[in-house]
Amino acid sequence: AEEELHHVSLGNASVASPFTSRKTSIRCCKDILQQGRCTLVTMIQIYKILGVNCLVNALVLTKLHQKGVKQGDRQMTAVGMVVAGLFLFVTRGKPLTKISPRKPPSSVLCKETLLSMTVQFAIHFVAIMTVTYMSDVYVDPYDPSAMVPDGPFNPNTLNTATFLVTVLATINTFVVNYRGRPFMENLTENKLLFRSIQACYA
C-alpha cells in the first residue's frame, strides 16, 4: 500500500475526491465544471493582461531610453502596487450557477486570444507613439539634466505624458480582458475589482 501511495501525484486526490462522494446527487460534477471553467477563463485573461502590459511597458521604456529620459521610482512602485491589487481582485471572480453550453477557450495560444492581444497592442502602439511625438516638442534637447540615460530622475513633459498613458493603458487592459459571462460573474458583479477600477479612473 505504501508503494502505491508513492505513485499518486498530489493533484490526483483533489480531482478524484468529488467522484468518490457517497451522495446520490451529481452536484459534485457540476461544481468541478463550474470551478474549472472559471479558473481557466481567469488564467487566460491574466495571461492576456500580462502580455499586453509587457508589450506596452517595453515600448514606453524603449522610447524613453532613446530620448535619455527615465521614469520615477516612486511612480513605478505605486503603479506596481495598484496592478498587484487589481490582479488579486481579478482572481476573486466567482463562477455562475448555470453552466453555459458555450465552451471556453482551450489554450492561451488560441486564435481568439492572439488576435485580441494583437489588436489591443496596435491601439496602444498608436496612442503611445502619438503622445511621445507630441510631448517631444516640449523637451529641450540641450538640457543636460533631462538627457542623461543613467542620471537622476527629472520630471518633464515626455516622461509625465508617457506615465499617464501607461497607467491608462494598464487599467484599460483589465477592463477589456475581463471575460465575465457566460463563464463567470461580470465586471460590475465583481465589486472589489469594479470599485478599484473606478478609483483608478477617478
Side-chain angles (χ1 to χ4, degrees), residues 102-137:
R102 181 181 176 186
K103 293 183 179 180
S106 58
S107 172
V108 182
L109 301 178
C110 64
K111 294 181 180 179
E112 177 186 355
T113 302
L114 295 178
L115 179 61
S116 174
M117 293 176 62
T118 303
V119 173
Q120 291 180 59
F121 178 67
I123 296 173
H124 294 318
F125 179 83
V126 173
I128 292 171
M129 296 299 291
T130 302
V131 169
T132 53
Y133 176 77
M134 296 173 62
S135 303
D136 194 26
V137 180

Side-chain angles (χ1 to χ4, degrees), residues 21-92:
S21 175
R22 296 182 179 179
K23 296 182 180 180
T24 58
S25 173
I26 60 171
R27 180 181 178 83
C28 55
C29 299
K30 180 183 177 183
D31 292 340
I32 288 180
L33 293 176
Q34 290 175 332
Q35 295 290 343
R37 285 186 166 196
C38 181
T39 302
L40 176 61
V41 171
T42 300
M43 291 307 301
I44 289 178
Q45 67 187 14
I46 287 177
Y47 280 125
K48 289 172 64 177
I49 293 170
L50 287 173
V52 176
N53 284 343
C54 287
L55 293 173
V56 169
N57 288 327
L59 177 62
V60 170
L61 293 177
T62 301
K63 295 297 294 183
L64 292 180
H65 183 73
Q66 290 177 347
K67 301 296 182 180
V69 183
K70 62 187 298 186
Q71 292 184 336
D73 294 335
R74 294 181 181 179
Q75 293 177 336
M76 301 308 297
T77 301
V79 172
M81 294 178 64
V82 172
V83 170
L86 293 177
F87 272 120
L88 175 62
F89 298 148
V90 165
T91 60
R92 300 299 296 270

